[in-house]
Amino acid sequence: KSIAVLPFKLIGSDPEGRYFSEGVADALINHLNGIENLNVRSRTSVDTYKDSKKNLTEIAEELKVDYILEGSAQKYKDDIKIIVQLINARTDDHLWQDDYNVKYDDIFKVQSEIAMKIVSQLNVKLAGAKKRRIEKIPTKNTEAWDLFLRGKDYMRTWWKHREVNNLNFAINFFKESIKKDTAFALAYTQLADAIQAKEPPGPYNIFIDTLIQKSIQLDPELPHNYDFRARYFTSHNNKKAFAAAMQNIEKAIQLDPDNQGFLITKAQIFRKQIRHLEALAIYKQALEKEQSEQYNDLVYSISRSYYCVGEFELAEIYIRKALEMEPDDLQFLQGLAHIQMITGKNEAFLKTVNNM
């Protein structure tokens, strides 16, 4: 069975609340990911249908899903409103819908309840470990969670446009989140990730290492900690670091074997060692899952790996797949332009450059 959680609409006219509606949709995608026999479309796959005029049947056919979750959300001071409806995209039947008008303190309970109701409606198997992960509360401080969501929103914008101001805003929000709750493990991980994105890779960064060690200490079962450490060691680019990276990513995969992002990290470890064929095998394994907001970067990485083994036609096919969903992403445009330049497609190259 397959499902797409479409971008949640913002209730009301205040665009400042967008970070909250997107945060709710993200949480539901993360809750549903990794459930046995349930394929969840990635964040980047569904983002192309934000404000789309297409009907649900058309969207479902293009995304190749059986079910669609539509929703809208609003946060006003300490009050939140969330409206959701689960639709059988093949028959256009509304299987379930609900409205939640609660205090912000109940946000985690509501998100978990929605995910559990979807699982029940679709009659899919839910392992005990996954059920516990859905019900787990990341922080007891909703102010910390709100600041965290704002930071995540700025990180998404930074990945898309690479504007350093967005990265600085994200770092500040993650820092403020930690001040509100010094035991919020995921905030430490995200802060380390943001700092790593801002600073060039080096042999050792004691601040980044301290942040991730703190996160592991607070929550040793959080798989994203080990994924980050794997990526951190990979950036050191030496044999000993690659061994440490592989050890950490295997731990992350052990904790969450269905996470697409972790497979991407494993493939990148091979790629950094110039083992492109092994990287491609893992990338393609990850591509089958299509379950994370890293989907576009995955397609881009496959393109780069094909480029490195001299398969330029395949490299162009995959870079164009990435651009279909993110047509203004500078990194993807640069990748396409580079392939066109190498293959002598001069007119196409100039057209791509002019679109940057």
Side-chain angles (χ1 to χ4, degrees):
K1 295 177 180 179
S2 53
I3 186 171
V5 179
L6 295 185
F8 272 36
K9 296 176 182 177
L10 181 63
I11 300 173
S13 58
D14 184 5
E16 202 274 336
R18 178 178 57 86
Y19 79 93
F20 175 71
S21 62
E22 296 202 352
V24 174
D26 270 353
L28 293 175
I29 290 173
N30 291 333
H31 281 339
L32 296 173
N33 275 338
I35 294 177
E36 188 176 357
N37 297 322
L38 182 63
N39 194 343
V40 185
R41 287 296 175 260
S42 68
R43 168 64 189 261
T44 48
S45 293
V46 298
D47 262 358
T48 57
Y49 297 96
K50 186 182 294 184
D51 302 320
S52 174
K53 302 300 182 185
K54 295 179 179 179
N55 61 47
L56 293 182
T57 301
E58 290 175 311
I59 293 173
E61 287 178 355
E62 291 178 12
L63 288 172
K64 297 181 174 60
V65 294
D66 306 306
Y67 303 93
I68 283 179
L69 184 77
E70 278 192 316
S72 51
Q74 180 185 46
K75 176 181 180 291
Y76 179 72
K77 296 182 179 179
D78 292 332
D79 297 314
I80 60 173
K81 180 179 181 67
I82 299 174
I83 304 171
V84 288
Q85 54 181 347
L86 181 65
I87 301 160
N88 184 326
R90 306 298 182 188
T91 62
D92 203 29
D93 291 332
H94 287 59
L95 303 178
W96 163 75
Q97 66 179 44
D98 213 338
D99 294 9
Y100 298 87
N101 293 277
V102 297
K103 294 296 183 182
Y104 199 20
D105 289 346
D106 292 322
I107 181 63
F108 303 122
K109 178 182 177 182
V110 169
Q111 289 172 167
S112 297
E113 184 177 320
I114 292 171
M116 295 299 291
K117 285 187 176 180
I118 293 170
V119 168
S120 175
Q121 288 290 329
L122 300 187
N123 194 27
V124 292
K125 182 180 178 181
L126 186 64
K130 183 60 182 177
K131 184 175 183 292
R132 288 191 296 273
R133 193 171 296 144
I134 291 175
E135 295 173 342
K136 187 175 182 178
I137 297 174
T139 173
K140 295 179 180 179
N141 188 309
T142 50
E143 284 186 78
W145 180 250
D146 196 65
L147 291 163
F148 176 81
L149 290 184
R150 292 174 185 268
K152 286 277 287 182
D153 191 51
Y154 275 109
M155 279 296 288
R156 276 192 294 268
T157 305
W158 180 82
W159 280 113
K160 184 175 180 179
H161 299 294
R162 299 300 199 275
E163 294 173 354
V164 71
N165 282 342
N166 290 314
L167 194 55
N168 289 333
F169 282 132
I171 289 171
N172 289 335
F173 275 119
F174 292 139
K175 285 181 177 179
E176 291 300 315
S177 177
I178 290 169
K179 286 181 183 178
K180 294 292 183 182
D181 181 6
T182 56
F184 187 3
L186 194 55
Y188 287 95
T189 305
Q190 287 295 328
L191 176 57
D193 202 11
I195 293 172
Q196 172 87 335
K198 184 177 181 181
E199 299 181 1
Y204 183 71
N205 185 313
I206 190 169
F207 184 48
I208 291 176
D209 196 60
T210 300
L211 287 170
I212 205 65
Q213 288 292 353
K214 178 68 174 178
S215 186
I216 290 174
Q217 177 187 345
L218 290 167
D219 190 353
E221 297 301 306
L222 186 64
H224 295 282
N225 287 330
Y226 304 98
D227 173 62
F228 176 82
R229 289 198 87 206
R231 289 184 284 113
Y232 175 62
F233 281 122
T234 302
S235 69
H236 296 170
N237 208 25
N238 63 65
K239 188 175 181 179
K240 185 177 179 180
F242 287 141
M246 190 60 74
Q247 182 181 6
N248 276 275
I249 199 57
E250 292 292 2
K251 175 68 173 177
I253 292 171
Q254 177 188 346
L255 290 168
D256 190 357
D258 293 306
N259 189 294
Q260 182 193 58
F262 299 163
L263 290 172
I264 294 172
T265 299
K266 184 175 181 179
Q268 288 170 341
I269 297 170
F270 284 124
R271 182 177 159 193
K272 287 281 285 187
Q273 298 176 81
I274 323 298
R275 296 162 66 177
H276 294 294
L277 293 177
E278 290 163 286
L280 274 168
I282 304 297
Y283 278 139
K284 288 183 177 180
Q285 184 182 345
L287 192 64
E288 294 174 1
K289 296 182 178 296
E290 196 182 357
Q291 289 182 353
S292 85
E293 61 185 66
Q294 294 177 294
Y295 181 71
N296 270 0
D297 287 326
L298 166 59
V299 176
Y300 170 75
S301 295
I302 292 175
S303 171
R304 296 304 299 160
S305 290
Y306 272 126
Y307 175 87
C308 290
V309 297
E311 295 283 357
F312 300 123
E313 287 187 18
L314 286 169
E316 184 169 343
I317 288 172
Y318 277 94
I319 199 68
R320 287 191 181 279
K321 284 179 181 288
L323 282 165
E324 284 175 9
M325 289 177 282
E326 293 285 353
D328 59 345
D329 188 291
L330 182 59
Q331 180 178 233
F332 301 159
L333 287 168
Q334 289 174 338
L336 176 60
H338 193 73
I339 294 168
Q340 291 168 334
M341 180 180 68
I342 291 295
T343 53
K345 298 177 180 179
N346 297 327
E347 289 186 14
F349 165 75
L350 290 173
K351 183 178 179 181
T352 301
V353 171
N354 287 332
N355 287 334
M356 290 183 186

